[in-house]
Amino acid sequence: MTDLTVKLGLNVFKPLPAPHIKIKAGMERDPRLKAAVRGCPAGLYSVSETGEFVLTIDGCLECGTCRIACGTEVLEWGYPEGGAGVQFRFG
Ligand code: SF4
């Protein structure tokens, strides 16, 4: 495990009833999503074997980097409902 993985592992993620960030339908191949692959500090964006961008929301730090980097034409972006999402723990 990398240092980053260990540090991220300290956080707690409370389950979400629905994803608070989604790649908009039809935008899965939009090149603007490359910025999220490079910029997401939790490494939650990837490219599938078929060339589509994929977001795995578990572990989201709610930092907003992907929203700024890709824009809301590509992403539906919101904060999770109260009581859900990341709980930071520093160690
Ligand atoms: S809000 Fe931050 S941690 Fe969450 S998916 Fe976007 S870039 Fe990654």
Side-chain angles (χ1 to χ4, degrees), residues 26-42:
M27 296 295 203
E28 295 85 358
R29 294 178 185 271
D30 192 293
R32 287 174 282 189
L33 289 165
K34 287 180 186 172
V37 175
R38 288 193 301 267
C40 174

Side-chain angles (χ1 to χ4, degrees), residues 20-21 36 39-45 55-57 59-67 77:
H20 63 289
I21 304 170
C40 174
L44 303 182
Y45 288 85
L55 167 61
T56 305
I57 199 66
C60 176
L61 303 171
E62 302 165 28
C63 66
T65 300
C66 58
R67 183 175 191 268
W77 203 102

Side-chain angles (χ1 to χ4, degrees), residues 3-57:
D3 284 351
L4 178 60
T5 305
V6 170
K7 288 178 180 175
L8 290 173
L10 296 173
N11 296 327
V12 173
F13 298 93
K14 297 183 181 176
L16 303 159
H20 63 289
I21 304 170
K22 293 180 194 169
I23 298 171
K24 288 187 176 177
M27 296 295 203
E28 295 85 358
R29 294 178 185 271
D30 192 293
R32 287 174 282 189
L33 289 165
K34 287 180 186 172
V37 175
R38 288 193 301 267
C40 174
L44 303 182
Y45 288 85
S46 60
V47 183
S48 72
E49 290 181 4
T50 59
E52 295 186 341
F53 291 95
V54 177
L55 167 61
T56 305
I57 199 66

